[in-house]
Amino acid sequence: PKNAPALALEARLLLAENRYDDAAALVNTALQADPRSPHAHFALAKLQLVKGAVEDARKSFVEVLNIDPSRTDAQLELSRLHLARREIDTAISYAQAAIKNDDDNIEARGALIRALSVRPEDLPRADFELKTLLTRYPNSPEVQSMFGVVALQRGDKAQATRAFERALVLDPDLVEAVAGLAAMDAEAGRFAAARARVEARLQATSEPTAELLLLASKVYVANRQLDKA
């Protein structure tokens, strides 16, 4: 019989295929096989996120860390969840814990930079962290995109545009960079340009990610609202 980690991995693969009921069944089986499996609780948290049960997902990610404090992936998920709730100090704390677990993790340092970029008083530290990351990983599209995010927070749209465009040269499918440029188009009233930018990415890929599809839906809704106005 499959063990809990194998069942949890299979459940996450099913989630990626949008087979939610099948994934839920496997998660339950994994938890029954080992109620203390961090893999099973992590898969449960991802399932709860998909279903919109954000607070339940947060608790499940916390349970993952109660069982295995070294799980950087759970720390990053919690940092993102708390950042979305504007609980900045908690988001920073989880990002710092992830870095402590894995100093070379670009995603962990990115989580810290994004949390630090929200409040004006934290921007100098965000700049410092970002410059350090750019020195270590100058050709990382994710790092270039982070540079764009921080530049936007500072109100430097020209620098943000350059950073997002550099990120897309390195990775044309990086949704955050597409979203950043589309957001600036929309803010300037260039809704057609924003839509064209997103549609170009949709046409360039045969398997658009969930993040790209979500961005496209937001842009289309904004365009429809503008048409009705």
Side-chain angles (χ1 to χ4, degrees), residues 28-120:
N28 288 334
T29 302
L31 288 169
Q32 290 170 5
D34 183 1
R36 293 281 296 168
S37 167
H39 307 281
H41 283 280
F42 190 89
L44 173 62
K46 297 294 280 188
L47 177 64
Q48 290 165 330
L49 274 183
V50 168
K51 291 184 174 181
V54 177
E55 179 57 20
D56 289 338
R58 187 195 67 79
K59 292 177 181 177
S60 293
F61 285 129
V62 169
E63 182 61 20
V64 171
L65 293 177
N66 288 338
I67 298 168
D68 182 0
S70 70
R71 288 289 297 252
T72 301
D73 51 0
Q75 291 165 330
L76 291 175
E77 293 284 359
L78 285 165
S79 181
R80 283 189 283 266
L81 287 177
H82 285 283
L83 181 59
R85 300 200 314 198
R86 310 295 287 186
E87 295 167 355
I88 309 303
D89 290 329
T90 306
I92 290 172
S93 178
Y94 275 117
Q96 289 174 325
I99 292 170
K100 186 175 180 180
N101 276 337
D102 185 0
D103 185 63
D104 291 325
N105 191 312
I106 293 179
E107 191 178 356
R109 292 194 175 274
L112 176 61
I113 289 166
R114 288 185 176 89
L116 289 170
S117 69
V118 174
R119 298 184 299 210

Side-chain angles (χ1 to χ4, degrees), residues 92 112-113 115-133 147 150-151 153-154:
I92 290 172
L112 176 61
I113 289 166
L116 289 170
S117 69
V118 174
R119 298 184 299 210
E121 62 267 29
D122 293 327
L123 279 175
R125 185 180 168 197
D127 280 330
F128 174 80
E129 294 285 347
L130 184 55
K131 287 175 183 176
T132 301
L133 205 55
F147 192 34
V150 174
Q153 290 295 121
R154 287 200 310 267

Side-chain angles (χ1 to χ4, degrees), residues 155-171:
D156 190 339
K157 294 179 182 178
Q159 190 175 67
T161 298
R162 290 193 296 271
F164 287 136
E165 288 177 345
R166 283 196 298 268
L168 289 174
V169 168
L170 295 165
D171 180 1

Side-chain angles (χ1 to χ4, degrees), residues 12-44:
R12 291 179 62 184
L13 292 174
L14 290 172
L15 272 180
E17 297 173 1
N18 300 326
R19 295 169 59 184
Y20 305 134
D21 291 340
D22 292 338
L26 279 180
V27 167
N28 288 334
T29 302
L31 288 169
Q32 290 170 5
D34 183 1
R36 293 281 296 168
S37 167
H39 307 281
H41 283 280
F42 190 89
L44 173 62

